[in-house]
Amino acid sequence: MIMQNAEEMQFPQRLGAKNPGLCGDCVHALIIESDRGSAFVRCELSFTDTLFEKYPRLPVLRCAGYAKDEERSVS
């Protein structure tokens, strides 16, 4: 399994047709890629706060933990 920061990958291409919503430019989002090539968004906040799902259903349209990463942009 390959884990990469979301900033190292482009969401739309990696996640297929799925729009990640707020996760697309959130500092807490991490992309997990399986051995079979599937990609998932993992929320790093889920490790310290049970209010956040480990693998949120996309697209995420509202999130109390959202923090925009100014260096990341989603095409």
Side-chain angles (χ1 to χ4, degrees), residues 49-67:
D49 192 333
T50 58
L51 293 176
F52 299 97
E53 294 181 41
K54 188 173 183 179
Y55 296 100
R57 190 172 188 170
L58 302 179
V60 174
L61 302 177
R62 291 181 6 181
C63 180
Y66 172 73

Side-chain angles (χ1 to χ4, degrees), residues 2 7 12 21 27 44 47 49 54 61-62 67 69-71:
I2 300 169
E7 65 195 40
V27 297
E44 296 294 289
F47 293 104
D49 192 333
K54 188 173 183 179
L61 302 177
R62 291 181 6 181
D69 184 344
E70 296 297 330
E71 295 179 11

Side-chain angles (χ1 to χ4, degrees), residues 2-9 14 29-33:
I2 300 169
M3 298 186 335
Q4 297 179 330
N5 289 325
E7 65 195 40
E8 296 172 3
M9 303 180 81
R14 201 37 128 178
L30 185 70
I31 295 288
I32 306 295
E33 186 174 5

